[in-house]
mmCIF file of all heavy atoms in Angstrom:
data_model
loop_
_atom_site.group_PDB
_atom_site.id
_atom_site.type_symbol
_atom_site.label_atom_id
_atom_site.label_comp_id
_atom_site.label_asym_id
_atom_site.label_seq_id
_atom_site.Cartn_x
_atom_site.Cartn_y
_atom_site.Cartn_z
ATOM 1 N N LEU A 166 -12.608 24.749 -0.622
ATOM 2 C CA LEU A 166 -13.441 23.762 -0.116
ATOM 3 C C LEU A 166 -12.553 22.762 0.623
ATOM 4 O O LEU A 166 -11.800 22.038 0.129
ATOM 5 C CB LEU A 166 -14.171 23.001 -1.260
ATOM 6 C CG LEU A 166 -15.390 23.664 -1.833
ATOM 7 C CD1 LEU A 166 -15.021 24.944 -2.554
ATOM 8 C CD2 LEU A 166 -16.143 22.714 -2.784
ATOM 9 N N ASP A 167 -12.686 22.770 1.988
ATOM 10 C CA ASP A 167 -11.827 21.935 2.754
ATOM 11 C C ASP A 167 -12.447 21.683 4.151
ATOM 12 O O ASP A 167 -13.662 21.750 4.267
ATOM 13 C CB ASP A 167 -10.434 22.684 2.943
ATOM 14 C CG ASP A 167 -9.329 21.685 2.997
ATOM 15 O OD1 ASP A 167 -9.215 20.985 3.923
ATOM 16 O OD2 ASP A 167 -8.514 21.663 1.963
ATOM 17 N N THR A 168 -11.689 21.518 5.229
ATOM 18 C CA THR A 168 -12.216 21.058 6.527
ATOM 19 C C THR A 168 -12.527 22.209 7.440
ATOM 20 O O THR A 168 -12.830 21.959 8.580
ATOM 21 C CB THR A 168 -11.191 20.080 7.186
ATOM 22 O OG1 THR A 168 -10.006 20.813 7.508
ATOM 23 C CG2 THR A 168 -10.920 18.902 6.383
ATOM 24 N N GLY A 169 -12.356 23.424 7.040
ATOM 25 C CA GLY A 169 -12.730 24.494 7.900
ATOM 26 C C GLY A 169 -11.569 25.496 8.066
ATOM 27 O O GLY A 169 -10.587 25.463 7.306
ATOM 28 N N VAL A 170 -11.626 26.289 9.123
ATOM 29 C CA VAL A 170 -10.640 27.286 9.385
ATOM 30 C C VAL A 170 -10.561 27.591 10.873
ATOM 31 O O VAL A 170 -11.500 27.470 11.559
ATOM 32 C CB VAL A 170 -10.983 28.625 8.562
ATOM 33 C CG1 VAL A 170 -12.164 29.328 9.147
ATOM 34 C CG2 VAL A 170 -9.741 29.593 8.547
ATOM 35 N N TRP A 171 -9.344 28.008 11.320
ATOM 36 C CA TRP A 171 -9.149 28.478 12.675
ATOM 37 C C TRP A 171 -9.014 30.006 12.513
ATOM 38 O O TRP A 171 -7.986 30.490 12.197
ATOM 39 C CB TRP A 171 -7.939 27.907 13.310
ATOM 40 C CG TRP A 171 -7.943 28.014 14.804
ATOM 41 C CD1 TRP A 171 -7.272 28.968 15.516
ATOM 42 C CD2 TRP A 171 -8.511 27.172 15.759
ATOM 43 N NE1 TRP A 171 -7.469 28.818 16.797
ATOM 44 C CE2 TRP A 171 -8.243 27.676 16.988
ATOM 45 C CE3 TRP A 171 -9.304 26.038 15.661
ATOM 46 C CZ2 TRP A 171 -8.704 27.120 18.227
ATOM 47 C CZ3 TRP A 171 -9.745 25.450 16.866
ATOM 48 C CH2 TRP A 171 -9.483 25.966 18.098
ATOM 49 N N PRO A 172 -10.097 30.694 12.656
ATOM 50 C CA PRO A 172 -10.108 32.142 12.248
ATOM 51 C C PRO A 172 -9.174 33.004 13.121
ATOM 52 O O PRO A 172 -8.807 34.084 12.632
ATOM 53 C CB PRO A 172 -11.587 32.573 12.475
ATOM 54 C CG PRO A 172 -12.121 31.608 13.475
ATOM 55 C CD PRO A 172 -11.423 30.283 13.188
ATOM 56 N N GLU A 173 -8.841 32.541 14.290
ATOM 57 C CA GLU A 173 -7.957 33.354 15.121
ATOM 58 C C GLU A 173 -6.429 33.291 14.731
ATOM 59 O O GLU A 173 -5.645 33.974 15.253
ATOM 60 C CB GLU A 173 -8.046 32.890 16.593
ATOM 61 C CG GLU A 173 -9.353 33.136 17.249
ATOM 62 C CD GLU A 173 -10.388 32.023 16.950
ATOM 63 O OE1 GLU A 173 -10.035 31.025 16.243
ATOM 64 O OE2 GLU A 173 -11.549 32.255 17.255
ATOM 65 N N SER A 174 -6.136 32.377 13.753
ATOM 66 C CA SER A 174 -4.751 32.329 13.303
ATOM 67 C C SER A 174 -4.274 33.643 12.809
ATOM 68 O O SER A 174 -4.980 34.380 12.126
ATOM 69 C CB SER A 174 -4.626 31.283 12.194
ATOM 70 O OG SER A 174 -3.399 31.405 11.565
ATOM 71 N N PRO A 175 -2.981 33.982 13.094
ATOM 72 C CA PRO A 175 -2.423 35.250 12.573
ATOM 73 C C PRO A 175 -2.470 35.404 11.020
ATOM 74 O O PRO A 175 -2.514 36.475 10.501
ATOM 75 C CB PRO A 175 -0.978 35.261 13.050
ATOM 76 C CG PRO A 175 -0.967 34.292 14.269
ATOM 77 C CD PRO A 175 -1.995 33.318 14.016
ATOM 78 N N SER A 176 -2.599 34.213 10.331
ATOM 79 C CA SER A 176 -2.653 34.203 8.871
ATOM 80 C C SER A 176 -3.868 34.901 8.384
ATOM 81 O O SER A 176 -3.914 35.287 7.167
ATOM 82 C CB SER A 176 -2.501 32.800 8.388
ATOM 83 O OG SER A 176 -1.246 32.207 8.619
ATOM 84 N N PHE A 177 -4.942 34.978 9.150
ATOM 85 C CA PHE A 177 -6.208 35.495 8.682
ATOM 86 C C PHE A 177 -6.415 36.878 9.243
ATOM 87 O O PHE A 177 -7.629 37.401 9.216
ATOM 88 C CB PHE A 177 -7.323 34.510 9.051
ATOM 89 C CG PHE A 177 -7.049 33.120 8.596
ATOM 90 C CD1 PHE A 177 -7.132 32.075 9.457
ATOM 91 C CD2 PHE A 177 -6.672 32.879 7.293
ATOM 92 C CE1 PHE A 177 -6.828 30.792 9.040
ATOM 93 C CE2 PHE A 177 -6.397 31.603 6.825
ATOM 94 C CZ PHE A 177 -6.433 30.579 7.735
ATOM 95 N N ALA A 178 -5.456 37.531 9.785
ATOM 96 C CA ALA A 178 -5.701 38.913 10.304
ATOM 97 C C ALA A 178 -5.958 39.868 9.196
ATOM 98 O O ALA A 178 -5.439 39.646 8.024
ATOM 99 C CB ALA A 178 -4.415 39.364 11.066
ATOM 100 N N ASP A 179 -6.753 40.863 9.387
ATOM 101 C CA ASP A 179 -7.217 41.741 8.256
ATOM 102 C C ASP A 179 -6.648 43.210 8.368
ATOM 103 O O ASP A 179 -7.142 44.086 7.759
ATOM 104 C CB ASP A 179 -8.757 41.776 8.165
ATOM 105 C CG ASP A 179 -9.390 42.462 9.377
ATOM 106 O OD1 ASP A 179 -8.689 42.744 10.383
ATOM 107 O OD2 ASP A 179 -10.614 42.706 9.354
ATOM 108 N N GLN A 180 -5.553 43.371 9.141
ATOM 109 C CA GLN A 180 -4.973 44.710 9.185
ATOM 110 C C GLN A 180 -4.598 45.112 7.819
ATOM 111 O O GLN A 180 -3.869 44.361 7.108
ATOM 112 C CB GLN A 180 -3.760 44.720 10.152
ATOM 113 C CG GLN A 180 -4.147 44.686 11.586
ATOM 114 C CD GLN A 180 -4.170 43.185 12.138
ATOM 115 O OE1 GLN A 180 -4.236 42.345 11.288
ATOM 116 N NE2 GLN A 180 -4.253 43.003 13.415
ATOM 117 N N GLY A 181 -4.917 46.342 7.415
ATOM 118 C CA GLY A 181 -4.559 46.935 6.142
ATOM 119 C C GLY A 181 -5.457 46.422 4.976
ATOM 120 O O GLY A 181 -5.170 46.808 3.871
ATOM 121 N N MET A 182 -6.458 45.607 5.277
ATOM 122 C CA MET A 182 -7.267 45.086 4.199
ATOM 123 C C MET A 182 -8.356 46.115 3.838
ATOM 124 O O MET A 182 -8.916 46.818 4.722
ATOM 125 C CB MET A 182 -7.923 43.808 4.647
ATOM 126 C CG MET A 182 -6.983 42.639 4.852
ATOM 127 S SD MET A 182 -6.256 42.050 3.347
ATOM 128 C CE MET A 182 -7.653 41.420 2.459
ATOM 129 N N PRO A 183 -8.685 46.222 2.617
ATOM 130 C CA PRO A 183 -9.764 47.181 2.178
ATOM 131 C C PRO A 183 -11.103 46.581 2.540
ATOM 132 O O PRO A 183 -11.270 45.458 2.973
ATOM 133 C CB PRO A 183 -9.591 47.292 0.643
ATOM 134 C CG PRO A 183 -8.940 45.956 0.363
ATOM 135 C CD PRO A 183 -8.052 45.552 1.435
ATOM 136 N N PRO A 184 -12.202 47.314 2.325
ATOM 137 C CA PRO A 184 -13.540 46.734 2.613
ATOM 138 C C PRO A 184 -13.834 45.518 1.759
ATOM 139 O O PRO A 184 -13.249 45.289 0.743
ATOM 140 C CB PRO A 184 -14.478 47.889 2.300
ATOM 141 C CG PRO A 184 -13.596 49.140 2.356
ATOM 142 C CD PRO A 184 -12.237 48.723 1.869
ATOM 143 N N VAL A 185 -14.748 44.709 2.254
ATOM 144 C CA VAL A 185 -15.274 43.509 1.559
ATOM 145 C C VAL A 185 -15.861 43.969 0.219
ATOM 146 O O VAL A 185 -16.618 44.960 0.185
ATOM 147 C CB VAL A 185 -16.286 42.792 2.370
ATOM 148 C CG1 VAL A 185 -16.851 41.592 1.550
ATOM 149 C CG2 VAL A 185 -15.582 42.191 3.639
ATOM 150 N N PRO A 186 -15.536 43.331 -0.923
ATOM 151 C CA PRO A 186 -16.079 43.697 -2.152
ATOM 152 C C PRO A 186 -17.599 43.736 -2.154
ATOM 153 O O PRO A 186 -18.273 42.844 -1.595
ATOM 154 C CB PRO A 186 -15.587 42.614 -3.113
ATOM 155 C CG PRO A 186 -14.341 42.083 -2.491
ATOM 156 C CD PRO A 186 -14.607 42.161 -1.016
ATOM 157 N N LYS A 187 -18.185 44.773 -2.770
ATOM 158 C CA LYS A 187 -19.618 44.884 -2.748
ATOM 159 C C LYS A 187 -20.310 43.766 -3.530
ATOM 160 O O LYS A 187 -21.460 43.479 -3.265
ATOM 161 C CB LYS A 187 -20.044 46.284 -3.348
ATOM 162 C CG LYS A 187 -19.573 47.434 -2.473
ATOM 163 C CD LYS A 187 -20.038 48.768 -3.107
ATOM 164 C CE LYS A 187 -19.619 49.928 -2.207
ATOM 165 N NZ LYS A 187 -20.052 51.251 -2.772
ATOM 166 N N ARG A 188 -19.637 43.159 -4.403
ATOM 167 C CA ARG A 188 -20.288 42.098 -5.196
ATOM 168 C C ARG A 188 -20.376 40.771 -4.428
ATOM 169 O O ARG A 188 -20.996 39.875 -4.829
ATOM 170 C CB ARG A 188 -19.459 41.831 -6.498
ATOM 171 C CG ARG A 188 -18.022 41.400 -6.232
ATOM 172 C CD ARG A 188 -17.219 41.344 -7.526
ATOM 173 N NE ARG A 188 -15.804 41.037 -7.249
ATOM 174 C CZ ARG A 188 -15.324 39.778 -7.229
ATOM 175 N NH1 ARG A 188 -16.150 38.804 -7.356
ATOM 176 N NH2 ARG A 188 -14.045 39.581 -7.008
ATOM 177 N N TRP A 189 -19.768 40.737 -3.251
ATOM 178 C CA TRP A 189 -19.777 39.523 -2.450
ATOM 179 C C TRP A 189 -21.196 39.278 -1.927
ATOM 180 O O TRP A 189 -21.822 40.121 -1.292
ATOM 181 C CB TRP A 189 -18.774 39.686 -1.263
ATOM 182 C CG TRP A 189 -18.833 38.572 -0.257
ATOM 183 C CD1 TRP A 189 -19.203 38.685 1.103
ATOM 184 C CD2 TRP A 189 -18.575 37.177 -0.484
ATOM 185 N NE1 TRP A 189 -19.113 37.520 1.681
ATOM 186 C CE2 TRP A 189 -18.820 36.584 0.731
ATOM 187 C CE3 TRP A 189 -18.270 36.447 -1.565
ATOM 188 C CZ2 TRP A 189 -18.648 35.180 0.936
ATOM 189 C CZ3 TRP A 189 -18.137 35.109 -1.445
ATOM 190 C CH2 TRP A 189 -18.254 34.456 -0.181
ATOM 191 N N LYS A 190 -21.737 38.080 -2.106
ATOM 192 C CA LYS A 190 -23.080 37.736 -1.730
ATOM 193 C C LYS A 190 -23.106 36.638 -0.655
ATOM 194 O O LYS A 190 -24.197 36.134 -0.289
ATOM 195 C CB LYS A 190 -23.881 37.262 -2.927
ATOM 196 C CG LYS A 190 -24.016 38.297 -4.020
ATOM 197 C CD LYS A 190 -24.731 37.765 -5.266
ATOM 198 C CE LYS A 190 -24.772 38.806 -6.356
ATOM 199 N NZ LYS A 190 -25.423 38.242 -7.574
ATOM 200 N N GLY A 191 -21.973 36.299 -0.126
ATOM 201 C CA GLY A 191 -21.848 35.239 0.866
ATOM 202 C C GLY A 191 -22.260 35.627 2.212
ATOM 203 O O GLY A 191 -22.675 36.721 2.473
ATOM 204 N N MET A 192 -21.940 34.679 3.197
ATOM 205 C CA MET A 192 -22.330 34.946 4.568
ATOM 206 C C MET A 192 -21.257 34.323 5.486
ATOM 207 O O MET A 192 -20.461 33.448 4.986
ATOM 208 C CB MET A 192 -23.662 34.339 4.883
ATOM 209 C CG MET A 192 -23.711 32.810 4.715
ATOM 210 S SD MET A 192 -25.311 32.116 5.139
ATOM 211 C CE MET A 192 -25.417 32.329 6.875
ATOM 212 N N CYS A 193 -21.312 34.634 6.780
ATOM 213 C CA CYS A 193 -20.466 34.028 7.778
ATOM 214 C C CYS A 193 -21.366 33.192 8.646
ATOM 215 O O CYS A 193 -22.021 33.739 9.533
ATOM 216 C CB CYS A 193 -19.700 35.071 8.560
ATOM 217 S SG CYS A 193 -18.325 34.461 9.507
ATOM 218 N N GLN A 194 -21.513 31.921 8.362
ATOM 219 C CA GLN A 194 -22.508 31.086 9.063
ATOM 220 C C GLN A 194 -22.071 30.701 10.427
ATOM 221 O O GLN A 194 -20.980 30.136 10.648
ATOM 222 C CB GLN A 194 -22.716 29.821 8.211
ATOM 223 C CG GLN A 194 -23.801 28.901 8.686
ATOM 224 C CD GLN A 194 -23.992 27.686 7.837
ATOM 225 O OE1 GLN A 194 -23.260 27.493 6.839
ATOM 226 N NE2 GLN A 194 -24.982 26.868 8.195
ATOM 227 N N GLU A 195 -22.934 30.977 11.349
ATOM 228 C CA GLU A 195 -22.582 30.668 12.771
ATOM 229 C C GLU A 195 -22.770 29.205 13.055
ATOM 230 O O GLU A 195 -23.503 28.503 12.372
ATOM 231 C CB GLU A 195 -23.465 31.555 13.679
ATOM 232 C CG GLU A 195 -23.101 32.980 13.641
ATOM 233 C CD GLU A 195 -23.736 33.780 14.778
ATOM 234 O OE1 GLU A 195 -24.716 33.321 15.393
ATOM 235 O OE2 GLU A 195 -23.201 34.913 15.089
ATOM 236 N N GLY A 196 -22.083 28.691 14.067
ATOM 237 C CA GLY A 196 -22.174 27.330 14.495
ATOM 238 C C GLY A 196 -21.390 27.160 15.786
ATOM 239 O O GLY A 196 -20.988 28.165 16.405
ATOM 240 N N GLN A 197 -21.052 25.902 16.083
ATOM 241 C CA GLN A 197 -20.345 25.634 17.316
ATOM 242 C C GLN A 197 -18.992 26.337 17.376
ATOM 243 O O GLN A 197 -18.156 26.091 16.533
ATOM 244 C CB GLN A 197 -20.191 24.117 17.448
ATOM 245 C CG GLN A 197 -19.508 23.706 18.703
ATOM 246 C CD GLN A 197 -19.291 22.173 18.780
ATOM 247 O OE1 GLN A 197 -19.638 21.461 17.839
ATOM 248 N NE2 GLN A 197 -18.787 21.669 19.929
ATOM 249 N N ASN A 198 -18.764 27.171 18.396
ATOM 250 C CA ASN A 198 -17.556 27.980 18.605
ATOM 251 C C ASN A 198 -17.179 28.822 17.361
ATOM 252 O O ASN A 198 -16.004 28.971 17.092
ATOM 253 C CB ASN A 198 -16.358 27.016 18.937
ATOM 254 C CG ASN A 198 -16.514 26.470 20.305
ATOM 255 O OD1 ASN A 198 -17.476 26.699 20.990
ATOM 256 N ND2 ASN A 198 -15.573 25.594 20.727
ATOM 257 N N PHE A 199 -18.173 29.159 16.610
ATOM 258 C CA PHE A 199 -17.884 30.044 15.416
ATOM 259 C C PHE A 199 -18.985 31.021 15.311
ATOM 260 O O PHE A 199 -20.174 30.679 15.086
ATOM 261 C CB PHE A 199 -17.816 29.153 14.199
ATOM 262 C CG PHE A 199 -17.145 29.859 13.023
ATOM 263 C CD1 PHE A 199 -15.806 29.649 12.730
ATOM 264 C CD2 PHE A 199 -17.837 30.725 12.140
ATOM 265 C CE1 PHE A 199 -15.200 30.275 11.720
ATOM 266 C CE2 PHE A 199 -17.249 31.312 11.108
ATOM 267 C CZ PHE A 199 -15.904 31.067 10.887
ATOM 268 N N LYS A 200 -18.687 32.335 15.457
ATOM 269 C CA LYS A 200 -19.700 33.403 15.431
ATOM 270 C C LYS A 200 -19.529 34.198 14.096
ATOM 271 O O LYS A 200 -18.519 34.077 13.437
ATOM 272 C CB LYS A 200 -19.445 34.369 16.627
ATOM 273 C CG LYS A 200 -19.734 33.684 17.969
ATOM 274 C CD LYS A 200 -19.557 34.637 19.133
ATOM 275 C CE LYS A 200 -19.810 34.007 20.456
ATOM 276 N NZ LYS A 200 -19.568 35.010 21.548
ATOM 277 N N ALA A 201 -20.526 34.979 13.826
ATOM 278 C CA ALA A 201 -20.483 35.820 12.630
ATOM 279 C C ALA A 201 -19.223 36.753 12.701
ATOM 280 O O ALA A 201 -18.673 37.191 11.667
ATOM 281 C CB ALA A 201 -21.718 36.607 12.446
ATOM 282 N N THR A 202 -18.862 37.140 13.884
ATOM 283 C CA THR A 202 -17.701 38.028 14.107
ATOM 284 C C THR A 202 -16.386 37.302 13.860
ATOM 285 O O THR A 202 -15.341 38.007 13.886
ATOM 286 C CB THR A 202 -17.737 38.673 15.474
ATOM 287 O OG1 THR A 202 -17.788 37.584 16.475
ATOM 288 C CG2 THR A 202 -18.899 39.579 15.701
ATOM 289 N N SER A 203 -16.441 36.020 13.627
ATOM 290 C CA SER A 203 -15.190 35.277 13.310
ATOM 291 C C SER A 203 -14.632 35.624 11.953
ATOM 292 O O SER A 203 -13.457 35.503 11.677
ATOM 293 C CB SER A 203 -15.430 33.766 13.335
ATOM 294 O OG SER A 203 -15.827 33.390 14.678
ATOM 295 N N CYS A 204 -15.510 36.194 11.068
ATOM 296 C CA CYS A 204 -15.098 36.642 9.772
ATOM 297 C C CYS A 204 -14.623 38.068 9.861
ATOM 298 O O CYS A 204 -14.921 38.793 10.804
ATOM 299 C CB CYS A 204 -16.216 36.488 8.798
ATOM 300 S SG CYS A 204 -16.703 34.753 8.466
ATOM 301 N N ASN A 205 -13.868 38.490 8.863
ATOM 302 C CA ASN A 205 -13.367 39.859 8.807
ATOM 303 C C ASN A 205 -13.141 40.242 7.420
ATOM 304 O O ASN A 205 -13.678 39.709 6.481
ATOM 305 C CB ASN A 205 -12.107 40.040 9.670
ATOM 306 C CG ASN A 205 -10.992 39.011 9.214
ATOM 307 O OD1 ASN A 205 -10.951 38.582 8.061
ATOM 308 N ND2 ASN A 205 -10.037 38.705 10.138
#
Side-chain angles (χ1 to χ4, degrees):
L166 279 69
D167 217 293
T168 65
V170 69
W171 196 266
E173 295 82 8
S174 168
S176 291
F177 308 126
D179 67 351
Q180 287 89 347
M182 295 291 296
V185 174
K187 292 182 179 180
R188 61 188 175 88
W189 171 242
K190 300 176 183 177
M192 63 180 290
C193 195
Q194 185 178 2
E195 293 193 338
Q197 184 181 1
N198 289 2
F199 198 96
K200 298 180 179 180
T202 53
S203 297
C204 296
N205 56 24

